[in-house]
């Protein structure tokens, strides 16, 4: 996907330092959880990035599969100087396309940016979002994002104030 001023593409390992630098100010503001470089490298196949006409990284986002029909939008970030240019929307659109290709029908996010995600079809969710038998399988995951999706007590100190949101894909 491209705009006249930026392009969205699959991330490469060479993008990891730029992704980490892009995310760091949001970690400092406690908007995103911090991740070690090794975590970014381990999950690089989940990321897409936006770069401007000069090849500078201006945004990123990741899609993480949680279950057979559910994925999570993770680490969606846009450089402050590039906000309100459609970068976040373009990244989210690409992640939704990838989710559909994988056969996912629902996308989850944990966010402070409820207006942005709300404008893009996400709605706040309550407690029961999967059947009990799926919950019993998911609760075995060591992934913090899955724990956030399930709203487990052990992640609440890290996510205080965030809103759990879900979108049904068509």
């Amino acid at each position: 996907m491209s705009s006249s001023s930026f392009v969205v593409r699959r991330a490469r390992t060479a993008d990891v330092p730029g992704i980490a630098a892009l995310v760091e100010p949001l970690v400092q503001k406690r908007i995103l959880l911090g991740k070690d470089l090794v975590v970014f490298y381990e999950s690089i196949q989940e990321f897409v990035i936006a770069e401007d006409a000069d090849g500078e990284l201006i945004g990123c986002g990741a899609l993480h599969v949680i279950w057979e029909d559910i994925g999570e939008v993770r680490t969606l970030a846009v450089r402050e100087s590039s906000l309100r240019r459609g970068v976040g929307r373009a990244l989210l659109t690409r992640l939704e396309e990838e989710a559909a290709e994988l056969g996912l029908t629902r996308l989850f996010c944990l966010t402070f940016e409820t207006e942005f995600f709300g404008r893009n079809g996400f709605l706040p969710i309550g407690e029961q979002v999967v059947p009990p038998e799926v919950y019993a399988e998911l609760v075995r995951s060591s992934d913090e994002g899955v724990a956030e999706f399930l709203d487990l007590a052990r992640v609440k100190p890290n996510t205080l104030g965030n809103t759990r949101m879900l979108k049904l894909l068509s």
Side-chain angles (χ1 to χ4, degrees):
M1 169 174 286
S2 70
S3 163
S4 58
S5 60
F6 65 89
V7 63
V8 174
R9 65 166 173 79
R10 176 153 304 285
R12 299 185 281 264
T13 56
D15 296 317
V16 167
I19 291 170
L22 179 71
V23 168
E24 185 57 28
L26 298 172
V27 171
Q28 295 303 317
K29 293 178 184 176
R30 298 183 53 81
I31 293 171
L32 291 177
L33 294 176
K35 295 180 180 161
D36 294 323
L37 277 179
V38 68
V39 175
F40 286 121
Y41 282 112
E42 289 174 340
S43 60
I44 195 64
Q45 70 280 0
E46 297 180 351
F47 276 85
V48 295
I49 62 115
E51 60 185 10
D52 65 15
D54 297 325
E56 294 293 318
L57 192 140
I58 59 171
C60 67
L63 172 66
H64 181 78
V65 175
I66 294 177
W67 195 248
E68 68 179 330
D69 64 332
I70 304 169
E72 180 185 4
V73 174
R74 292 184 172 179
T75 321
L76 187 63
V78 175
R79 186 188 320 160
E80 192 168 350
S81 62
S82 296
L83 291 173
R84 314 233 184 306
R85 291 181 36 210
V87 176
R89 177 69 192 130
L91 288 163
L92 185 57
T93 297
R94 173 71 178 265
L95 294 173
E96 289 177 5
E97 290 168 355
E98 291 188 7
E101 285 180 29
L102 290 170
L104 303 178
T105 58
R106 299 185 287 173
L107 279 182
F108 164 76
C109 69
L110 181 70
T111 185
F112 288 107
E113 300 296 333
T114 55
E115 287 185 28
F116 169 79
F117 282 98
R119 282 192 312 270
N120 288 287
F122 285 76
L123 298 171
I125 56 173
E127 299 294 316
Q128 194 68 23
V129 292
V130 293
E133 62 275 7
V134 173
Y135 182 95
E137 291 291 329
L138 288 174
V139 79
R140 297 177 185 173
S141 174
S142 61
D143 187 279
E144 290 298 301
V146 173
E148 292 164 349
F149 173 71
L150 297 175
D151 202 27
L152 299 179
R154 69 179 170 87
V155 295
K156 290 197 189 291
N158 294 331
T159 60
L160 198 58
N162 287 7
T163 300
R164 297 164 67 241
M165 301 182 81
L166 194 71
K167 178 177 183 173
L168 299 178
L169 299 176
S170 47

